[in-house]
Amino acid sequence: MTEERVVLSSRVRLARNYDDLPFATASRIQDADECVARTSRALAQSGEDAGFELIRLADLGELEQRALQESRLISRDLLREPRTAAVLVNRADAVSVMMNEEDHLRIQAIRPGLDLEGAAEDCFRVEQALEKQVRFAFDRQLGYLTACPTNTGTGMRASLLLHLPMLTMNKRMGDVGQIVAKVGLTIHGVYGEGSEALGHVYQISNQVTLGRTEQELTAAVSAVGRQLMDMENALRERALQESRVALEDSVGRAWGILRHARRMELVEFFRHWSQIRMGSALELVPTPIPVLDQLLCEVQEAHLVTPEGTFIGGDNAEEARASRVRQVLRDERGIVE
């Protein structure tokens, strides 16, 4: 798919609350327990629970909690109250139901590439299965009621994860910010609000959910995603035409470092990874983009563990990261002539 050259993934998230529980369930253990029990029971009764695993964050170590967040199966906010937080997760389909975050439920689905419609279908299949068994807080005029007013309405956030190295290096992200803001969207780093755009990876999503349908939201985010994809690809093609040697040199240097480095800090990895991912999109390196995107998760700190599951920290983490990168890239031929 040509979309995967720029769009890493599509994500849809729905905020839902039970109509008879206080919004701040995370602060009260009995309400939080009821939320988890009710959701698990409703999903089982619906028959849509195949492949889902119930995980209580209190039963996990810090390393395992962080690994879920690094895999984007849970949010950073869910980690704030691990004592009461839980998630129903289907790893195979990248669908999860977070419980006791800001809202009672955060139902989310992730699809590779530009496929917000597919991610929305995955989300609403779970949401509709639950709604046959339980009652959510809903107002006929306002829509679904949420803890934060900006989520009231559809309760939906649609987002795309985009790789925009050329727009960044050509100092065009100011233009991107204006394009995004004009249609009511927002742009953040790879892990959403407050996170850094490591590896020239950005997340765009809708800001408000009130007054717009789910179809309008996914269409708006998809349209902006395609516009940014076209802008990024145009700059890449221009670089191939006007400064191919310089482009090949930067990609080749990144390739060589990642293939041979013995230690690698995470920030440095992201920098070189961005170059070779762009090189893969331009057919300058042989490693497929899906392999590079998977590597993005595998080198994060909570994924770097010993065979016994012990966290690898300090210099050992940098060595383990470099080793994993070399392992993935070692069988490739190198720069494409």
Side-chain angles (χ1 to χ4, degrees):
M1 296 188 299
T2 57
E3 291 91 349
E4 75 173 7
R5 297 175 184 174
V6 174
V7 185
L8 282 79
S9 63
S10 303
R11 184 190 70 157
V12 170
R13 188 209 71 201
L14 302 175
R16 295 291 185 265
N17 290 280
Y18 292 116
D19 65 349
D20 61 339
L21 291 178
F23 281 128
T25 52
S27 63
R28 293 185 44 160
I29 291 180
Q30 63 184 31
D31 291 330
D33 287 345
E34 171 60 23
C35 178
V36 174
R38 185 182 301 185
T39 306
S40 302
R41 184 169 60 248
L43 192 63
Q45 291 172 343
S46 74
E48 291 289 338
D49 60 329
F52 279 91
E53 173 191 5
L54 174 62
I55 301 173
R56 295 178 182 270
L57 267 60
D59 295 336
L60 303 180
E62 181 182 355
L63 175 66
E64 296 169 297
Q65 294 174 9
R66 288 179 55 194
L68 285 172
Q69 189 261 322
E70 289 175 357
S71 300
R72 301 179 68 216
L73 292 171
I74 66 172
S75 65
R76 290 189 302 177
D77 288 342
L78 193 68
L79 295 176
R80 293 177 180 174
E81 290 288 347
R83 180 177 60 119
T84 53
V87 59
L88 284 158
V89 60
N90 184 327
R91 296 176 188 270
D93 295 334
V95 177
S96 56
V97 183
M98 292 174 277
M99 291 163 279
N100 298 318
E101 197 218 53
E102 182 179 54
D103 293 288
H104 298 159
L105 306 182
R106 291 286 176 93
I107 306 166
Q108 77 162 26
I110 299 175
R111 289 281 190 101
L114 183 57
D115 189 12
L116 281 175
E117 291 78 8
E121 288 177 8
D122 292 341
C123 265
F124 282 110
R125 182 169 57 253
V126 174
E127 189 259 0
Q128 289 165 10
L130 291 172
E131 202 160 26
K132 289 179 181 179
Q133 309 295 329
V134 299
R135 290 176 58 88
F136 293 134
F138 183 82
D139 180 88
R140 289 187 177 183
Q141 183 176 0
L142 297 176
Y144 289 99
L145 304 180
T146 55
C148 179
T150 59
N151 290 323
T152 297
T154 62
M156 178 177 172
R157 282 279 191 273
S159 63
L160 296 175
L161 209 58
L162 306 169
H163 183 219
L164 305 175
M166 278 297 179
L167 283 167
T168 304
M169 290 185 287
N170 282 272
K171 302 187 185 304
R172 296 284 301 278
M173 291 310 296
D175 297 337
V176 170
Q178 292 180 7
I179 292 170
V180 167
K182 282 181 180 178
V183 290
L185 307 185
T186 186
I187 186 165
H188 300 293
V190 60
Y191 288 109
E193 188 172 354
S195 65
E196 187 178 355
L198 295 170
H200 305 132
V201 176
Y202 300 86
Q203 181 175 278
I204 63 167
S205 62
N206 59 296
Q207 280 189 296
V208 296
T209 68
L210 186 62
R212 304 181 75 178
T213 67
E214 292 87 347
Q215 293 77 15
E216 288 172 340
L217 291 173
T218 55
V221 177
S222 294
V224 172
R226 290 190 179 93
Q227 184 177 358
L228 298 182
M229 181 176 63
D230 290 343
M231 292 168 62
E232 173 68 25
N233 282 330
L235 288 173
R236 294 182 187 185
E237 290 301 321
R238 191 174 78 180
L240 278 176
Q241 296 291 327
E242 299 178 0
S243 53
R244 185 182 183 94
V245 173
L247 180 61
E248 290 178 340
D249 181 68
S250 63
V251 171
R253 288 172 184 270
W255 176 266
I257 291 171
L258 290 180
R259 285 257 297 173
H260 299 288
R262 311 301 294 184
R263 292 171 57 182
M264 181 73 58
E265 292 182 348
L266 185 60
V267 172
E268 182 186 7
F269 164 80
F270 267 101
R271 184 169 67 251
H272 299 313
W273 171 90
S274 179
Q275 289 294 313
I276 67 168
R277 189 186 192 280
M278 180 173 60
S280 178
L282 295 173
E283 300 182 345
L284 298 177
V285 298
T287 310
I289 285 177
V291 173
L292 293 172
D293 289 352
Q294 178 62 29
L295 186 60
L296 195 66
C297 178
E298 293 177 2
V299 301
Q300 306 241 9
E301 291 194 2
H303 281 77
L304 297 174
V305 296
T306 65
E308 295 75 31
T310 303
F311 173 67
I312 301 175
D315 291 344
N316 290 333
E318 295 179 10
E319 293 172 12
R321 180 176 297 112
S323 176
R324 179 56 184 153
V325 173
R326 293 197 310 274
Q327 180 183 8
V328 170
L329 302 182
R330 67 186 174 187
D331 295 330
E332 307 295 354
R333 293 182 293 107
I335 299 298
V336 177
E337 299 295 340

